[in-house]
């Protein structure tokens, strides 16, 4: 007996419909009425309207948060909703883009999400990454080294992902979908081996929710290049860098951008080696990006 309505969680959102998990079953629901923008992680109310071909979404419950990325035209585009934590995935291969990692972390801080750095493909050797990992560990960003490949012990990662909804982000090819498959053997998330686009890469094209337990889930998002909060938050760049934000109240000017202002405590800290020069450069790049995008 199939229920004729209820609440559910959106596992994935396609152009014209959504995949919903409701009471242990998975349903395809059409979008009804006005154009609803529903994303992975949304909680919705669905029903079977009389005389309809199938179930449809009736309403959207209030979101705890909405994670957006910046699309190619600089506009915010929703990726997923109701997320607790951002897991930033890097690997020895492809070589990490640490500026992108900083940007993801800044995005998490600004959305009040916990953040976690997952170093995948440990089997390839992570020696070359240790200096940068040290920077993050010193800033108390949890870092865990794992491998998604068969037989690996995922207990530590599983423990870190428990009781939360975690969004996996990171460059294409670092192994986000492979991690999903390692953690949830029944998941069949599409990895580079299983599907390839015409250029032979970029396998995950839409965010997808995978339930891990009663209170935990992981969301596999496409390998996005820019994942940042909306452009209206120019001053936000600073808040996203915890060590820069912590020193900004010691700058002479309250609205110091830490670029060329005199008596800037942030630049002094960079010169003294208390703030990593590369993190400061990341901050400058993010600030420039926001200023370019700002209306
Ligand atoms: N050596 C090694 N290779 C891995 C590991 N995890 C994943 N890979 C390989 O890395 C490649 C990319 O993995 P995917 O899981 O598709 O990467 P993704 O991050 O989901 O990529 P996008 O969906 O494009 O964002 C595949 O060829 C995987 O087999 C690992 O732990 N070790
Ligand atoms: Mg993928
Ligand atoms: Zn300053």
């Amino acid at each position: 007996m199939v229920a004729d309505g209820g609440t559910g969680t959106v596992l994935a959102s396609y152009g014209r419909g959504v995949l919903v998990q409701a009471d242990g079953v998975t349903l395809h629901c059409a979008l009804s009425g006005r154009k609803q923008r529903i994303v992975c992680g949304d909680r919705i109310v669905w029903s079977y309207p009389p005389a309809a071909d199938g179930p449809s979404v009736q309403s959207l419950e209030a979101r705890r948060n909405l994670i957006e990325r910046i699309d190619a035209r600089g506009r915010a585009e929703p990726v997923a909703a109701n997320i607790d934590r951002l897991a930033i995935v890097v690997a020895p291969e492809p070589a990490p883009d640490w500026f992108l990692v900083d940007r993801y972390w800044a995005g998490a801080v600004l959305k009040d999400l916990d953040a976690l750095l997952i170093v995948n493909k440990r089997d390839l050797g992570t020696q070359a990454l240790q200096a940068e990992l040290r920077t993050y560990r010193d800033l108390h960003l949890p870092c865990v080294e794992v491998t998604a490949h068969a037989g690996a012990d995922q207990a530590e990662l599983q423990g870190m992902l428990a009781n939360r909804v975690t969004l996996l982000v990171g460059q294409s090819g670092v192994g986000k979908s492979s991690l999903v498959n390692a953690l949830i053997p029944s998941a069949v998330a599409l990895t580079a081996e299983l599907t390839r686009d015409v250029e032979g890469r970029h396998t995950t094209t839409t965010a997808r929710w995978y339930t891990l337990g009663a209170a935990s889930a992981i969301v596999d998002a496409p390998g996005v290049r820019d994942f940042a909060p909306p452009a209206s938050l120019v001053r936000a760049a600073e808040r996203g860098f915890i060590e820069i934000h912590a020193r900004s109240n010691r700058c002479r000017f309250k609205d110091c951008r830490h670029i060329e202002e005199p008596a800037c405590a942030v630049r002094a800290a960079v010169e003294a080696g208390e703030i990593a020069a590369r993190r400061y450069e990341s901050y400058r790049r993010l600030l420039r990006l926001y200023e370019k995008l700002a209306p």
Side-chain angles (χ1 to χ4, degrees):
M1 168 72 197
V2 178
D4 55 7
T7 57
T9 302
V10 174
L11 302 178
S13 171
Y14 307 101
R16 316 179 63 182
V18 292
L19 192 62
V20 175
Q21 189 174 58
D23 295 328
V25 294
T26 304
L27 310 161
H28 273 281
C29 292
L31 298 177
S32 62
R34 290 157 290 113
K35 202 172 171 224
Q36 288 165 303
R37 189 105 200 225
I38 293 181
V39 299
C40 177
D42 269 330
R43 296 279 305 165
I44 54 104
V45 176
W46 65 277
S47 73
Y48 246 114
D53 302 342
S56 65
V57 175
Q58 294 310 307
S59 59
L60 173 64
E61 295 189 357
R63 290 168 172 152
R64 265 188 301 126
N65 57 31
L66 178 66
I67 310 306
E68 296 166 306
R69 65 176 177 199
I70 293 175
D71 71 11
R73 288 156 155 175
R75 291 173 313 194
E77 183 193 346
V79 174
N82 302 321
I83 299 296
D84 300 313
R85 172 174 38 207
L86 205 64
I88 306 162
V89 186
V90 298
E93 258 306 313
D97 176 346
W98 298 111
F99 295 108
L100 187 62
V101 171
D102 288 339
R103 217 122 101 183
Y104 283 130
W105 189 15
V109 172
L110 293 170
K111 284 283 179 186
D112 289 320
L113 304 180
D114 289 344
L116 159 72
L117 189 66
I118 298 176
V119 182
N120 186 34
K121 310 194 191 182
R122 187 176 53 190
D123 53 298
L124 299 181
T126 60
Q127 205 47 44
L129 311 186
Q130 293 305 323
E132 294 294 350
L133 293 180
R134 181 66 199 270
T135 306
Y136 294 110
R137 290 193 169 113
D138 286 349
L139 294 168
H140 306 293
L141 178 67
C143 301
V144 53
E145 297 186 29
V146 299
T147 171
H149 272 183
D153 179 12
Q154 306 299 354
E156 188 185 5
L157 185 58
Q158 246 149 9
M160 288 181 106
L161 298 179
N163 302 316
R164 293 280 218 291
V165 177
T166 304
L167 174 62
L168 297 178
V169 295
Q171 285 160 269
S172 184
V174 293
K176 300 178 294 298
S177 300
S178 304
L179 284 167
V180 169
N181 289 331
L183 288 164
I184 312 170
S186 62
V188 224
L190 296 180
T191 61
E193 281 83 17
L194 296 175
T195 53
R196 287 174 192 277
D197 66 7
V198 275
E199 279 107 43
R201 46 197 165 85
H202 210 85
T203 49
T204 303
T205 53
T206 179
R208 181 74 160 82
W209 171 291
Y210 298 93
T211 301
L212 278 174
S216 49
I218 38 185
V219 176
D220 182 16
V224 295
R225 281 205 49 75
D226 271 310
F227 183 89
S232 53
L233 300 166
V234 172
R235 287 291 296 166
E238 175 198 294
R239 266 208 298 132
F241 288 76
I242 57 170
E243 72 276 44
I244 293 179
H245 188 55
R247 281 174 180 83
S248 63
N249 60 355
R250 289 183 238 155
C251 296
R252 178 182 297 163
F253 299 106
K254 247 180 143 166
D255 59 351
C256 187
R257 291 154 64 250
H258 326 302
I259 302 296
E260 58 203 358
E261 295 86 346
C264 170
V266 170
R267 277 189 300 128
V270 175
E271 271 149 40
E274 293 159 18
I275 290 178
R278 200 196 47 70
R279 288 272 300 168
Y280 174 64
E281 176 57 22
S282 265
Y283 160 76
R284 289 175 55 125
R285 290 194 196 184
L286 186 63
L287 183 69
R288 253 181 272 141
L289 173 75
Y290 283 4
E291 286 178 341
K292 201 171 76 195
L293 294 171

